[in-house]
Amino acid sequence: MVRCMRCGDSVEGFSQLCDKCGAEKKAADEASKAHAAIPATMPCPWCQSTMLMSAARCPACFREPSDFRPGVHGAAAGSGMGLQRADFWVRLVAALIDGLILIVPNVALRIAFGTAGIGLSLLVGVSYSVWFWTQKGATPGKMAMGLKVVDNDGRLLTPMHAVGRYFSYFLNAITLGIGYLMIFGEEHKGLHDRVSGSQVVFARTLPHPVATQETQPAA
């Protein structure tokens, strides 16, 4: 007669553990093996998608976690989540979509009012951008690409801020398009983004719901 190495109860035969302790040990071993089989994951610091800790790039946004720098790319207010700014090509596609939407009313105004239609087209463009930026956070083109236009704190633009952002586009024309090429830089911000204190980010990296400047709690 021998005794269980775990609880000290009598054990028949040559077993080292009694039936109860043996069953508990077997269950613990199986749980340990199952846990070891699950790959270690973490949230991507760029877009918060789940990715393997051993992966070199996020499968969702294709960014390298080691490149994430909150001080450069910003953080959503109070969320600790890194905002991922849109690059040049995504924003270009969004702009082309908006251009196709606006081309019909602009052509109609030019035909109907001649030279005066130029001023009316500008008014339509301002109204279109400002309304969508302040009410929806993005124009239809940017919505289609999953983007949002927010300020540097991740909040929706106010009407005055949106108007300022719209007219800052003219700085890109003055610089012969160089202001747009700045979006290729590491921070993905054009001249108009920098001057107006705004940024274009992927909506999935923003906290929900997106805070407006009016609803943001006072510090």
Side-chain angles (χ1 to χ4, degrees), residues 1-26:
M1 181 72 67
V2 296
R3 293 189 176 278
C4 173
M5 296 179 61
R6 190 169 184 180
C7 66
D9 286 347
S10 298
V11 178
E12 295 182 359
F14 299 97
S15 299
Q16 294 182 334
L17 299 173
C18 66
D19 292 341
K20 180 181 178 181
C21 292
E24 291 178 354
K25 183 177 185 302
K26 182 179 179 181

XYZ file of all heavy atoms in Angstrom, residues 1-26:
194
model
N 0.853 -1.194 0.000
C 0.000 0.000 0.000
C 0.899 1.259 0.000
O 1.820 1.367 0.790
C -0.893 0.013 1.246
C -1.843 1.204 1.327
S -3.184 1.098 0.128
C -4.086 -0.325 0.745
N 0.607 2.151 -0.946
C 1.356 3.411 -1.017
C 0.389 4.567 -0.826
O -0.832 4.393 -0.852
C 2.093 3.541 -2.377
C 3.140 2.461 -2.529
C 1.095 3.497 -3.521
N 0.951 5.740 -0.640
C 0.117 6.914 -0.441
C 0.267 7.897 -1.610
O 1.323 7.978 -2.226
C 0.476 7.617 0.878
C 0.122 6.768 2.094
C 0.273 7.565 3.365
N -0.150 6.771 4.513
C -1.416 6.614 4.900
N -2.375 7.219 4.220
N -1.713 5.882 5.953
N -0.815 8.604 -1.883
C -0.829 9.606 -2.963
C 0.184 10.696 -2.650
O 0.235 11.229 -1.530
C -2.234 10.203 -3.103
S -2.339 11.583 -4.271
N 1.001 11.040 -3.632
C 2.031 12.070 -3.445
C 1.426 13.456 -3.245
O 2.093 14.368 -2.755
C 2.970 12.093 -4.657
C 3.768 10.817 -4.861
S 4.805 10.925 -6.327
C 5.843 12.301 -5.887
N 0.140 13.601 -3.616
C -0.471 14.924 -3.576
C -1.298 15.160 -2.302
O -1.158 16.190 -1.643
C -1.341 15.115 -4.807
C -1.838 16.532 -5.018
C -2.456 16.657 -6.387
N -2.854 18.007 -6.673
C -3.417 18.398 -7.804
N -3.609 17.491 -8.766
N -3.761 19.642 -7.994
N -2.164 14.179 -1.965
C -3.044 14.376 -0.811
C -2.772 13.426 0.351
O -3.311 13.612 1.443
C -4.503 14.259 -1.250
S -4.962 12.598 -1.807
N -1.972 12.395 0.100
C -1.623 11.473 1.180
C -2.577 10.328 1.383
O -2.361 9.492 2.268
N -3.650 10.237 0.589
C -4.582 9.130 0.717
C -3.924 7.834 0.257
O -2.972 7.834 -0.532
C -5.843 9.373 -0.112
C -6.737 10.428 0.532
O -6.497 10.757 1.704
O -7.671 10.916 -0.155
N -4.481 6.737 0.745
C -3.959 5.426 0.349
C -4.253 5.158 -1.115
O -5.342 5.467 -1.621
C -4.594 4.327 1.212
O -4.266 4.516 2.582
N -3.284 4.607 -1.821
C -3.419 4.307 -3.246
C -3.077 2.838 -3.455
O -2.031 2.367 -2.983
C -2.485 5.195 -4.090
C -2.613 4.839 -5.577
C -2.786 6.658 -3.855
N -3.947 2.132 -4.150
C -3.672 0.734 -4.445
C -2.773 0.631 -5.671
O -2.848 1.440 -6.585
C -4.978 -0.019 -4.690
C -5.874 -0.084 -3.457
C -7.131 -0.874 -3.741
O -7.293 -1.332 -4.891
O -7.947 -1.019 -2.814
N -1.968 -0.408 -5.701
C -1.086 -0.613 -6.842
C 0.143 0.271 -6.763
O 0.621 0.626 -5.688
N 0.610 0.660 -7.922
C 1.858 1.432 -7.987
C 1.636 2.873 -8.453
O 2.567 3.551 -8.862
C 2.840 0.738 -8.934
C 3.214 -0.647 -8.476
C 2.566 -1.750 -9.002
C 4.183 -0.841 -7.499
C 2.899 -3.031 -8.578
C 4.519 -2.113 -7.077
C 3.873 -3.227 -7.610
N 0.390 3.366 -8.460
C 0.097 4.739 -8.869
C 0.696 5.723 -7.884
O 0.759 5.456 -6.675
C -1.419 4.956 -8.961
O -1.986 4.107 -9.922
N 1.128 6.853 -8.385
C 1.684 7.889 -7.516
C 0.605 8.850 -7.025
O 0.810 9.548 -6.029
C 2.765 8.675 -8.265
C 3.990 7.840 -8.611
C 5.046 8.669 -9.307
O 4.744 9.667 -9.938
N 6.296 8.247 -9.191
N -0.546 8.908 -7.739
C -1.643 9.789 -7.361
C -2.920 8.985 -7.228
O -3.122 7.995 -7.933
C -1.838 10.903 -8.399
C -0.671 11.854 -8.635
C -0.983 12.778 -9.807
C -0.365 12.663 -7.383
N -3.783 9.420 -6.324
C -5.084 8.778 -6.197
C -5.958 9.154 -7.388
O -5.589 10.030 -8.190
C -5.753 9.190 -4.884
S -6.182 10.945 -4.807
N -7.135 8.536 -7.496
C -8.007 8.784 -8.646
C -8.410 10.253 -8.739
O -8.441 10.843 -9.821
C -9.255 7.900 -8.547
C -8.929 6.422 -8.724
O -7.842 6.124 -9.277
O -9.754 5.588 -8.325
N -8.719 10.867 -7.582
C -9.156 12.264 -7.575
C -8.030 13.205 -8.006
O -8.198 14.052 -8.890
C -9.656 12.644 -6.184
C -10.123 14.095 -6.088
C -10.577 14.425 -4.667
C -10.992 15.881 -4.567
N -11.418 16.245 -3.180
N -6.857 13.048 -7.387
C -5.728 13.924 -7.722
C -5.230 13.666 -9.139
O -4.788 14.586 -9.833
C -4.602 13.718 -6.722
S -5.007 14.299 -5.051
N -5.295 12.398 -9.560
C -4.875 12.079 -10.927
C -5.762 12.755 -11.957
O -5.283 13.250 -12.986
N -7.082 12.758 -11.701
C -8.017 13.411 -12.626
C -7.782 14.917 -12.663
O -7.836 15.551 -13.721
C -9.449 13.101 -12.211
N -7.535 15.519 -11.495
C -7.282 16.962 -11.434
C -6.011 17.331 -12.180
O -5.954 18.337 -12.895
C -7.188 17.405 -9.974
C -8.504 17.339 -9.220
C -8.351 17.726 -7.772
O -7.187 17.940 -7.344
O -9.370 17.838 -7.066
N -4.971 16.485 -12.017
C -3.710 16.758 -12.707
C -3.869 16.636 -14.214
O -3.330 17.431 -14.991
C -2.617 15.804 -12.227
C -1.245 16.074 -12.850
C -0.205 15.144 -12.288
C 1.191 15.504 -12.832
N 1.250 15.462 -14.308
N -4.636 15.645 -14.652
C -4.853 15.456 -16.080
C -5.588 16.653 -16.678
O -5.253 17.150 -17.756
C -5.652 14.181 -16.318
C -5.890 13.879 -17.785
C -6.665 12.577 -17.960
C -6.911 12.301 -19.440
N -7.688 11.049 -19.628
